[in-house]
């Protein structure tokens, strides 16, 4: 298989349009109407970019960058269906704190929902994204800077996230999500993306 490596450095801090980090935590019960959901569904199709001319399919690297943004945005607003669409059912979540890995979507979901209920005013900036594709496997890594109100208190944390992805039936899905939290002062400590318990 031909190995392709294309670093994707989106340089200046990039506030993910829908902000958030695709793991656990968050809030803002933003919801969409049924009509909007139907209108916005991609039905599992490969995302495409459009111009004034014909539709242009995205490269694997672009699809993965889009997948990450979708995952982080869905995580932020509590869109469980969209979040699930970014993960394989067999996903493994390795969390920031020293806790056992969470194996499988069905085990991850209740932990995510518990954290999501505790958070408001979430902001997640993603920087220094690097993506590598090798056939039907890929990984991406990036730095994140997180802030939110957790249990009514302001909180912030920073760290790294690494995602491993498989291309299944022509669609990229996350199969491993590993989050690490940088050292913080006591004032900065809080539930980091990927954690299911507060620090």
């Amino acid at each position: 298989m031909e190995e392709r490596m294309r670093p994707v450095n989106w340089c200046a801090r990039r506030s993910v349009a829908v902000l958030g980090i695709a793991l656990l935590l968050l809030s803002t019960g933003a919801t969409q109407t049924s009509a909007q959901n139907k209108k916005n569904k991609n039905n599992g199709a490969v995302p495409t970019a459009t111009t004034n001319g014909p539709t242009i399919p995205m490269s694997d690297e672009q699809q993965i960058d889009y997948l990450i943004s979708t995952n982080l945005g869905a995580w932020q607003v509590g869109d469980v269906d969209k979040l699930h669409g970014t993960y394989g059912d067999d996903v493994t979540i390795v969390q920031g704190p020293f806790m056992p890995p969470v194996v499988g979507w069905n085990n991850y979901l209740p932990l995510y929902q518990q954290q999501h209920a505790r958070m408001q005013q979430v902001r997640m900036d993603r920087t220094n994204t690097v993506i590598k594709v090798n056939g039907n496997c890929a990984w991406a890594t990036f730095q994140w800077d997180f802030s939110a109100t957790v249990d009514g208190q302001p909180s912030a944390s920073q760290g790294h996230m690494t995602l491993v992805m498989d291309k299944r039936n022509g669609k990229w899905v996350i199969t491993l999500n590993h989050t690490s939290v940088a050292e913080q002062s006591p004032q900065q400590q809080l539930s980091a993306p990927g954690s299911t318990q507060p620090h």
Side-chain angles (χ1 to χ4, degrees), residues 10 12-20 69 123-127:
W10 302 105
R13 265 191 182 198
R14 178 177 167 183
S15 295
V16 178
V18 239
L19 298 169
S69 294
R123 178 174 175 103
M124 175 64 61
D125 292 318
R126 169 170 63 113
T127 57

Side-chain angles (χ1 to χ4, degrees), residues 60-125:
D60 285 327
E61 291 85 354
Q62 290 170 324
Q63 290 176 48
I64 289 167
D65 189 66
Y66 182 83
L67 172 71
I68 295 168
S69 294
T70 300
N71 178 278
L72 298 180
W75 175 83
Q76 179 187 349
V77 300
D79 188 334
V80 172
D81 291 335
K82 192 168 275 191
L83 185 62
H84 187 196
T86 65
Y87 284 123
D89 286 335
D90 58 344
V91 67
T92 299
I93 308 289
V94 179
Q95 304 164 47
F98 189 69
M99 299 174 68
V102 178
V103 179
W105 169 257
N106 290 334
N107 293 321
Y108 170 70
L109 178 59
L111 300 174
Y112 164 75
Q113 290 174 319
Q114 178 185 8
Q115 278 294 359
H116 174 46
R118 300 174 54 205
M119 303 190 65
Q120 296 176 330
Q121 300 172 349
V122 176
R123 178 174 175 103
M124 175 64 61
D125 292 318

Side-chain angles (χ1 to χ4, degrees), residues 23-180:
L23 284 200
L24 285 165
L25 304 150
L26 133 55
S27 89
T28 32
T31 58
Q32 295 179 323
T33 64
S34 177
Q36 287 172 319
N37 284 335
K38 288 179 184 175
K39 180 180 177 184
N40 294 333
K41 278 193 177 175
N42 199 7
N43 297 327
V46 173
T48 56
T50 57
T51 63
N52 293 336
T55 301
I56 303 168
M58 290 182 172
S59 69
D60 285 327
E61 291 85 354
Q62 290 170 324
Q63 290 176 48
I64 289 167
D65 189 66
Y66 182 83
L67 172 71
I68 295 168
S69 294
T70 300
N71 178 278
L72 298 180
W75 175 83
Q76 179 187 349
V77 300
D79 188 334
V80 172
D81 291 335
K82 192 168 275 191
L83 185 62
H84 187 196
T86 65
Y87 284 123
D89 286 335
D90 58 344
V91 67
T92 299
I93 308 289
V94 179
Q95 304 164 47
F98 189 69
M99 299 174 68
V102 178
V103 179
W105 169 257
N106 290 334
N107 293 321
Y108 170 70
L109 178 59
L111 300 174
Y112 164 75
Q113 290 174 319
Q114 178 185 8
Q115 278 294 359
H116 174 46
R118 300 174 54 205
M119 303 190 65
Q120 296 176 330
Q121 300 172 349
V122 176
R123 178 174 175 103
M124 175 64 61
D125 292 318
R126 169 170 63 113
T127 57
N128 298 319
T129 301
V130 177
I131 296 171
K132 181 177 179 181
V133 178
N134 187 0
N136 288 329
C137 298
W139 61 258
T141 189
F142 55 90
Q143 292 174 291
W144 51 263
D145 192 349
F146 169 83
S147 63
T149 300
V150 180
D151 297 330
Q153 299 296 316
S155 303
S157 61
Q158 297 176 315
H160 289 89
M161 182 175 290
T162 300
L163 304 174
V164 176
M165 290 147 285
D166 288 342
K167 196 171 194 178
R168 299 177 178 176
N169 300 317
K171 179 184 171 196
W172 289 102
V173 294
I174 299 165
T175 56
L176 174 68
N177 185 326
H178 186 282
T179 300
S180 62

